[in-house]
Amino acid sequence: GLQRPEELLDARERRVRWHDPARIRETVVARRWSGLEMLQAWLAGEIPPPPVGLLVGFALEEVAPGRVVFGFAPQEFHDNINGVVHGGIAAAILDTATGCAVISRLPFGVNCATLELKVNYIRSLNSDAPKLSGGGWSAPLARRARSA
């Protein structure tokens, strides 16, 4: 008959530790940082990364006005049952990169959220692939909604 999942493979475990994002926001507000200043503080290690970056496994590598770059090293826990990195991981990194590019242009006290995200995949990604880098770019802000 069929084997139960725990009988098929050795179980693996991954632990993730993060800082309270509300406390990170309190620091940003107390220091009255613009979006760019907040991202620069994150890159410099003055504030911890947001929990999603630790959970997914991506890290901020570069930041400038309207431009950010994130690094990502695919690992086994990113794989789906087909043996490729789940497409939602790439979408999450893309969402973060484009969102942070917009954030890098925002003044203190202004926030943003993704309204729409479309991803076209050209090929699959395996967990044995080398570290990847991906960026987001945003033109100067001129409207209420911004494309990145």
Side-chain angles (χ1 to χ4, degrees), residues 21 23 51 57 61 63 69 86 106 108 111 117 122:
R23 302 277 313 272
E61 293 183 337
V63 62
V69 175
H86 189 282
L106 296 178
F108 169 74
N111 206 345
L117 179 68
I122 347 178

Side-chain angles (χ1 to χ4, degrees), residues 21 24-25 27-29 31-50 60 63 99-100 102-104 106-108 110-112:
I24 299 169
R25 283 190 302 276
T27 300
V28 171
V29 170
R31 296 181 183 177
R32 300 188 58 79
W33 281 336
S34 67
L36 180 61
E37 291 167 326
M38 177 190 67
L39 292 168
Q40 290 170 330
W42 173 12
L43 183 62
E46 296 171 26
I47 58 174
L60 183 61
V63 62
C100 285
V102 172
I103 288 169
S104 73
L106 296 178
F108 169 74
V110 178
N111 206 345
C112 69

